[in-house]
Amino acid sequence: MELTAENKSFSKKEWQLFQYVLNQQAEVCSMSIRELADATKTSSTTVLRFCRKFDCEGFSEFKIKLKKTLQKQGKTDRLFKQDKKALHYFFERMDESFYRETLLTIAKRISKTKLLILASDRESTLALTYAQQKFARLDKIVSVEEEAAPIKSVWRTLSSEATLLVFSNKGADPFLESLITECTTAGISTISLTNRSTTSIAKLSERNFAYYFSDNQAADSLSSQIPAIYLVELLFDLVTDCEDR
């Protein structure tokens, strides 16, 4: 049930009820119809008429729907708090010298690259798309690898000047693991951005940046991809700065 006055025609007494219920939702769930009427200086009849405007046969049904609404709101509030806390810790870590130095090392490698190969698992496609658009502004060949296929001949030709940049929040994907191994064998530098440094993709890569975002987030959720997108922004600025020197 959506507790809103939109598309509802309230009388003056019903408007009093609405304002009270809106501000005292938890308390209303434990009140009787008589108690609510007394608290709002209305009548039981007015309360019943008010409930019908929310498609409820009576006050009992209204309270049941209101409780469900509160439960959903509570879950949403918890998710927002989790995301906020996780992002707060992530941005705090970005101020640490270790993370800055690791990013700078990766940026220096990308700045020397002529061919930048991008790849991701299904859950990190948003970060991949953003990286493709961002790095396309650099004076480099940007190739996006989306399907399992043998290393292209142009990759082998530029192997010493090529870099594979992998996005994987989970850090485990058969296709990406195979691609990293194949690129390493061909002499192509490999870099991965993962949520943990202990994952298979992180260990297979020549260089890895682990951002340690909350484990409470689904790997394909929007909030789980914020760190990778933010890192693309930082890397782009650092690479640009390296090339301007």
Side-chain angles (χ1 to χ4, degrees), residues 90-152:
F90 166 72
F91 286 116
E92 270 195 344
R93 284 194 295 275
M94 291 303 99
D95 285 333
E96 296 177 15
S97 58
F98 170 77
Y99 290 98
R100 289 177 175 272
E101 289 167 7
T102 303
L103 272 181
L104 184 57
T105 300
I106 292 173
K108 286 179 179 178
R109 173 57 208 173
I110 295 176
S111 70
K112 296 174 183 177
T113 293
K114 285 189 177 180
L115 169 63
L116 181 60
I117 307 161
L118 304 175
S120 78
D121 53 25
R122 288 184 178 181
E123 290 79 12
S124 301
T125 52
L126 182 61
L128 174 71
T129 301
Y130 188 77
Q132 181 183 8
Q133 295 173 349
K134 197 72 179 180
F135 289 126
R137 302 178 189 179
L138 300 173
D139 186 22
K140 302 181 188 302
I141 302 170
V142 179
S143 175
V144 178
E145 187 65 7
E146 296 177 328
E147 299 177 355
I151 288 184
K152 301 175 179 64

Side-chain angles (χ1 to χ4, degrees), residues 7 13 86 94 185 195 230:
N7 298 323
K13 291 290 184 179
M94 291 303 99
T185 303
N195 192 31
Y230 178 72

Side-chain angles (χ1 to χ4, degrees), residues 51-113:
C51 292
R52 292 191 188 101
K53 292 187 176 180
F54 289 90
D55 296 322
C56 299
E57 289 299 321
F59 185 54
S60 295
E61 184 182 353
F62 180 83
K63 287 196 294 182
I64 291 171
K65 289 185 177 181
L66 184 59
K67 284 178 183 177
K68 290 181 179 179
T69 300
L70 283 173
Q71 288 170 353
K72 289 180 181 179
Q73 287 176 350
K75 184 178 180 181
T76 301
D77 289 344
R78 285 193 297 273
L79 289 173
F80 272 119
K81 287 178 181 178
Q82 287 175 2
D83 283 354
K84 184 178 178 181
K85 187 175 182 180
L87 287 170
H88 173 74
Y89 286 143
F90 166 72
F91 286 116
E92 270 195 344
R93 284 194 295 275
M94 291 303 99
D95 285 333
E96 296 177 15
S97 58
F98 170 77
Y99 290 98
R100 289 177 175 272
E101 289 167 7
T102 303
L103 272 181
L104 184 57
T105 300
I106 292 173
K108 286 179 179 178
R109 173 57 208 173
I110 295 176
S111 70
K112 296 174 183 177
T113 293

Side-chain angles (χ1 to χ4, degrees), residues 172-187:
D173 182 87
F175 160 57
L176 293 178
E177 290 162 14
S178 175
L179 181 62
I180 292 170
T181 301
E182 200 171 351
C183 284
T184 300
T185 303

Side-chain angles (χ1 to χ4, degrees), residues 75 78-80 82-83 86-87 121-127 168-171 194-196 211-228:
K75 184 178 180 181
R78 285 193 297 273
L79 289 173
F80 272 119
Q82 287 175 2
D83 283 354
L87 287 170
D121 53 25
R122 288 184 178 181
E123 290 79 12
S124 301
T125 52
L126 182 61
S168 178
N169 191 57
K170 291 190 300 185
T194 59
N195 192 31
R196 292 285 183 268
Y211 40 84
Y212 295 100
F213 195 59
S214 172
D215 283 330
N216 293 324
Q217 308 302 323
D220 60 347
S221 69
L222 177 60
S223 57
S224 73
Q225 297 193 58
I226 291 175

